[in-house]
Amino acid sequence: AERPLRDQERVRFHMAIICLCLCGGEKLRAWRTPSSFIAGTAPDKRYLASASISKNGRLFVYGGCGGAGRLSDLFEINLPRLQWTSLSDSALGDPPPGSCGAAMAYLNETLFIFGGLGNQGLLGDLYTFDTVVAEAA
């Protein structure tokens, strides 16, 4: 008898940044995949990751589910500079537990991460991350 597929075997991961460029005339408006010209190391492939963006073009990506299970890493892509940076440095404190589908918001230089699906089930914790401290590190 065939064994049932595990979640990791059923899901095909796709990790790409896709943007819609709306500047310029009608002919310049198009979907683009800028991954080939973004510096730094991008996060591993994942699904159900959380993301939030600042007013000055810093896009933060947290957690999700990947080949290694539920993830607790935090990355930033500085969109004006097109640069990936990992913010999972232990000097910045312990991250929230790995989770998929957490809610994330950015307000006044602080990221708020709430809930998600962790290894033990649904999560209801609220975590904050000071992006000014991370930028200085």
Side-chain angles (χ1 to χ4, degrees), residues 62-124:
Y62 165 74
C65 294
R70 287 167 179 82
L71 305 170
S72 63
D73 51 3
L74 179 64
F75 285 83
E76 171 194 347
I77 181 170
N78 184 307
L79 295 172
R81 291 190 326 214
L82 295 174
Q83 173 76 43
W84 277 110
T85 303
S86 171
L87 299 176
S88 297
D89 186 340
S90 61
L92 298 173
D94 293 330
S99 68
C100 302
M104 187 160 81
Y106 179 92
L107 179 66
N108 298 331
E109 307 297 329
T110 302
L111 281 174
F112 296 86
I113 299 171
F114 177 77
L117 179 62
N119 288 329
Q120 305 303 317
L122 294 176
L123 302 173

